[in-house]
Amino acid sequence: MRRSLERSHKHFKKAVGRLPLGVASNFRYWGEDATIYIARGKGARVWDIDGNEYVDYRLGYGPAILGYADPRVEDAARAGMEVGGVFGLATERELAVAERICKMVPSAELVRFSNSGTEAVMAALRLARAYTGKDSYVIVEGGYHGLFDSVLWYTAVEDWAEGGGEPELVPYGEGVPMLLKQLVHQVPLNDANKLEDSLKKHGDDIGAFLIEPIMGNCCGITADAQYVKDVRALCDKYGVVMIVDEVKTGFRVARGGVQELMGVEADLCTFAKALANGYPISVLAGREDIMRKIGDGVAHGGTYTAHSVSLAAAEKTLEILDETSALDDIAAYGRAMQSGMSEILDRHDIPHSFVGHPSMGGLFFSETPPSNYRDWKDSDYTFYDTLAPVMHDLGVLCEPDSREPWFVSAAHDEACLAQTLEAFETAVAETAETLGAGNRERIQAAGAC
Ligand code: PMP
């Protein structure tokens, strides 16, 4: 271990006495010896409480798209603070932010605010059910849509053998009512026939299809643009509301999100993360006739919605993303990083591929990337799992779980890139040595991806 985590370790021991796992979100627990506590972040860098500095590719799971504590957003947030918070009444700025969103995202005809991605997706699902009068819904295997019971289901592909029927649907954890299972159907990404089969079979009960076309919680596995168009047509054919969850992709992969990239318009879509550079705010947007059900039978709202600080931060963040070259610069950095990494891996003769978008790319140790979650389970992630902690030791913070993409911000600069590639060079060499000569064979034996 090249860095000291002494203070983080000490703090963990105290924190665990008061906070389950010693943290405020299960995902922040990286194990007793690896959980770190952050002192502050600025630009593309964060510092832990031991004083270790990292170039950060997690960005809080995506939000800090302009970099931590961007001065333009911070000034706007401070002005938002002067407004006074929440009043149980509306403010004028809500319309200004809604207008900007509708300008950037063609499918967004009307907009409502919430506080988190989870809340926005919950609202979308409720609205779709109300609009169609149907309670069941289809989600995509390997997807993640937040911490609420209706979507806390996953396909157990780990021990599943192809040809042995469909993989089982299981709750993410305890406390999720089994009663809900009868409402959830799952399909693999990139297989429109499977979706049609499901709609044919259960169509009378299905009100919504929920999809994240670049799977931001599954290494960035990406839907083919044609598949997304087929999905659009199927939703129309079977009268199902198509919800595109853009909580991670929104205002990141393009001004109009993944919908713009893939040339498709959702019926409803959800945004959060990049919307306000890290301030808690989210959006449910979509087709006017569906959105008008809000207030005409469908409940939506909340004490903290459109808080003046978050709203002011969103207004400024969106202005920057819309009116500057920030998103192009982020994608260019991502491409340069991926090509530098490729060069290093090629030199070591290590099969690899990238998926997703350069601004949120997944790194695979296989020649062909997976096209759905079923493929992912056959991929070899030992190399990634071994590499990531070495990168941390060398001052580059990527997610230890290979299912999380590498997020890039507008604050990642030439110095970050050089530092990242230098660390990557060392980490790849060390990992290859640790795993030994059989590495290439193991990756190839792992299958198509
Ligand atoms: N949808 C997607 C696609 C997400 O990635 C996330 C969070 N990672 C959520 C919903 C839930 O958002 P939040 O954590 O803000 O509740």
Side-chain angles (χ1 to χ4, degrees):
M1 169 105 41
R2 294 167 164 101
R3 62 194 159 134
S4 165
L5 292 179
E6 201 185 322
R7 276 188 77 163
S8 273
H9 288 162
K10 268 198 192 136
H11 188 76
F12 173 76
K13 287 201 176 87
K14 281 193 269 172
V16 87
R18 279 283 177 235
L19 301 153
L21 297 176
V23 292
S25 168
N26 288 5
F27 311 111
R28 299 178 193 173
Y29 170 74
W30 289 2
E32 285 192 19
D33 295 332
T35 299
I36 58 176
Y37 293 86
I38 295 300
R40 70 186 182 94
K42 180 72 188 158
R45 294 171 190 267
V46 294
W47 288 263
D48 68 22
I49 60 172
D50 284 283
N52 300 304
E53 179 179 321
Y54 305 89
V55 177
D56 185 26
Y57 292 100
R58 299 178 63 255
L59 304 178
Y61 293 120
I65 188 148
L66 299 172
Y68 294 106
D70 179 273
R72 299 160 295 181
V73 179
E74 297 308 275
D75 283 349
R78 263 187 288 275
M81 219 175 277
E82 297 296 316
V83 174
V86 285
F87 311 100
L89 289 168
T91 61
E92 281 183 325
R93 187 167 274 140
E94 292 163 27
L95 175 60
V97 180
E99 295 281 18
R100 173 77 70 177
I101 291 166
C102 296
K103 172 177 174 271
M104 293 172 82
V105 182
S107 70
E109 292 176 349
L110 261 67
V111 168
R112 266 291 173 98
F113 297 101
S114 289
N115 302 297
S116 66
T118 297
E119 271 185 72
V121 183
M122 280 172 84
L125 205 51
R126 182 183 311 125
L127 184 55
R129 287 163 155 166
Y131 182 78
T132 58
K134 299 172 182 177
D135 286 346
S136 294
Y137 47 97
V138 183
I139 54 183
V140 176
E141 291 172 5
Y144 176 79
H145 300 284
L147 286 167
F148 67 107
D149 293 342
S150 301
V151 293
L152 279 176
W153 295 87
Y154 82 97
T155 319
V157 296
E158 281 74 10
D159 302 318
W160 168 77
E162 218 155 329
E166 292 300 295
E168 204 196 340
L169 191 60
V170 292
Y172 260 100
E174 294 171 31
V176 176
M178 287 308 281
L179 262 180
L180 290 180
K181 185 170 175 175
Q182 58 199 354
L183 301 179
V184 199
H185 303 280
Q186 286 209 347
V187 289
L189 191 75
N190 283 325
D191 188 340
N193 290 334
K194 279 252 162 56
L195 175 62
E196 179 146 33
D197 288 348
S198 185
L199 295 178
K200 268 189 193 146
K201 207 158 148 199
H202 313 285
D204 289 348
D205 304 318
I206 291 175
F209 177 56
L210 177 57
I211 179 171
E212 191 195 9
I214 296 178
M215 300 182 76
N217 302 277
C218 199
C219 344
I221 294 176
T222 301
D224 303 329
Q226 186 54 48
Y227 167 75
V228 178
K229 291 197 175 88
D230 291 345
V231 163
R232 174 68 277 176
L234 286 172
C235 287
D236 290 339
K237 182 172 167 190
Y238 289 90
V240 168
V241 172
M242 178 177 176
I243 305 172
V244 174
D245 183 351
E246 296 238 31
V247 163
K248 275 189 169 165
T249 51
F251 310 117
R252 167 170 281 284
V253 299
R255 286 175 176 80
V258 73
Q259 297 173 75
E260 180 184 319
L261 272 192
M262 298 193 172
V264 75
E265 287 190 19
D267 296 315
L268 294 176
C269 46
T270 52
F271 299 88
K273 317 255 183 195
L275 173 59
N277 207 44
Y279 286 91
I281 184 166
S282 62
V283 155
L284 162 64
R287 238 172 64 190
E288 173 160 9
D289 60 329
I290 305 178
M291 291 291 290
R292 291 273 178 224
K293 284 287 293 172
I294 295 177
D296 181 22
V298 175
H300 176 268
T303 305
Y304 297 108
T305 47
H307 188 286
S308 67
V309 175
S310 296
L311 200 60
E315 186 180 35
K316 180 52 77 177
T317 305
L318 291 178
E319 178 194 309
I320 296 167
L321 295 176
D322 193 20
E323 295 181 13
T324 73
S325 63
L327 290 183
D328 299 327
D329 300 343
I330 290 169
Y333 182 105
R335 278 192 296 272
M337 181 169 72
Q338 292 185 353
S339 103
M341 288 174 159
S342 259
E343 203 184 292
I344 293 166
L345 291 164
D346 283 343
R347 239 186 295 119
H348 286 266
D349 193 26
I350 295 169
H352 66 278
S353 49
F354 292 97
V355 273
H357 185 268
S359 71
M360 48 178 286
L363 168 56
F364 267 95
F365 290 99
S366 60
E367 262 146 25
T368 329
S371 68
N372 62 38
Y373 186 54
R374 295 183 185 190
D375 288 350
W376 172 83
K377 74 126 188 171
D378 293 328
S379 71
D380 181 89
Y381 29 91
T382 316
F383 199 91
Y384 187 95
D385 290 352
T386 315
L387 177 99
V390 186
M391 291 296 281
H392 300 168
D393 265 353
L394 294 167
V396 175
L397 210 54
C398 53
E399 185 70 15
D401 185 334
S402 68
R403 273 171 287 191
E404 190 70 13
W406 291 47
F407 287 100
V408 179
S409 77
H412 283 88
D413 57 13
E414 285 297 317
C416 294
L417 185 60
Q419 197 179 326
T420 303
L421 293 179
E422 196 185 322
F424 195 71
E425 173 91 60
T426 310
V428 166
E430 283 184 18
T431 304
E433 202 179 309
T434 308
L435 295 177
N439 186 54
R440 186 171 225 289
E441 289 67 33
R442 203 195 49 255
I443 290 174
Q444 278 167 345
C449 56

